[in-house]
Amino acid sequence: QVQLVESGGGLVQAGDSLRLSCAASGRTFSSYAMGWFRQAPGKEREFVAAISWTGRSTYYADSVKGRFTISRDNAKNTVYLQMNSLKPEDTAVYYCAAGRPGGGSSYYTARESYDYWGQGTQVTVSS
């Protein structure tokens, strides 16, 4: 199986930036689509961003579009989430996920599309 480890979370002020990293190990990492999800206390885990295995297609939740950027470096087995202009409502545990490539935004934004998950990294944004 694929193992995923997130890092880069922390406590920041509104308007600041963070870059999350997801280090992957296991089989055929480069052939997997990768996604970022987040979950705040009392809420369901929600889609944030996703990227195809080639890196040529990306998808974003409306709430983060224009502020967050997902990227991947298959040679380094790493996926990134650059988060700019952070808001208090971005506060959550952020999870990295890996799954087989599919078609369209409806696939990439669904939790069910992903087979492997990291343990999460906490992002807290103060006012």
Side-chain angles (χ1 to χ4, degrees):
Q1 63 179 18
V2 176
Q3 295 181 332
L4 306 172
V5 180
E6 304 95 335
S7 63
L11 174 62
V12 298
Q13 295 182 344
D16 285 352
S17 298
L18 280 174
R19 189 179 76 163
L20 305 183
S21 298
C22 175
S25 62
R27 300 177 181 178
T28 60
F29 168 79
S30 62
S31 67
Y32 281 84
M34 301 296 298
W36 286 97
F37 291 74
R38 66 187 182 187
Q39 187 168 23
K43 297 184 178 180
E44 295 185 5
R45 192 170 299 185
E46 65 177 1
F47 169 78
V48 176
I51 188 167
S52 64
W53 76 273
T54 64
R56 295 183 178 180
S57 299
T58 58
Y59 306 87
Y60 297 94
D62 290 340
S63 60
V64 306
K65 193 172 185 179
R67 299 188 298 120
F68 292 9
T69 302
I70 188 172
S71 61
R72 68 189 299 164
D73 187 338
N74 289 346
K76 297 181 179 179
N77 294 336
T78 302
V79 178
Y80 305 96
L81 184 67
Q82 178 66 45
M83 305 185 294
N84 298 328
S85 301
L86 283 163
K87 304 175 181 179
E89 51 263 43
D90 295 319
T91 296
V93 176
Y94 283 71
Y95 297 90
C96 177
R100 293 287 301 276
S105 61
S106 62
Y107 177 86
Y108 282 93
T109 60
R111 290 183 59 188
E112 294 79 7
S113 302
Y114 298 89
D115 300 314
Y116 305 102
W117 296 82
Q119 295 300 307
T121 185
Q122 177 71 49
V123 173
T124 303
V125 184
S126 63
S127 301

